[in-house]
Amino acid sequence: VQLQASGGGSVQAGESLTLSCTASGDIRSINSMAWYFQAPGKTRDLVATITSDGSTNYADSVKGRFTISRDNTRLYLRMVSLKPEDTGVYFCYLEETVRIRLGGGSAPALSRHWGQGTQVTVSS
């Protein structure tokens, strides 16, 4: 499974961007997809998730400003009212359930995949 993120760029504070992520390859059963954010010198943190039933969850810092959505294997993050502290690399993430061989049969297992990241720079 490969994830290709795009849509990053340099904007002024208050402006908007929409990130996209396309998943391809041998995708089985998607449990959830998500966007993560990594500011310079910081850890990679969860921004927003969307589950297979369409439920969404957001980090407090982006509630009301960011919207995650999904269309089959394409993931989006609509970002409005961007702030300088939103500057960093945004990564898309996919979690799926696969079957693995176990003993004489098979068992479900989680498989996690990351995209390469797309840079967002917000100037004040």
Side-chain angles (χ1 to χ4, degrees), residues 44-103:
R44 188 177 299 185
D45 296 325
L46 181 65
V47 173
T49 61
I50 185 166
T51 62
S52 58
D53 65 359
S55 299
T56 59
N57 192 37
Y58 297 91
D60 288 342
S61 61
V62 306
K63 283 181 180 177
R65 299 189 300 122
F66 291 10
T67 304
I68 189 171
S69 61
R70 177 190 156 196
D71 178 10
N72 195 11
T73 58
R74 295 204 70 178
L75 183 70
Y76 303 94
L77 185 68
R78 175 64 176 166
M79 307 184 293
V80 301
S81 302
L82 282 162
K83 303 176 181 179
E85 51 263 43
D86 296 321
T87 294
V89 181
Y90 287 75
F91 298 89
C92 56
Y93 166 89
L94 181 152
E95 181 187 282
E96 60 174 342
T97 297
V98 299
R99 302 289 301 187
I100 60 171
R101 291 185 179 182
L102 188 65

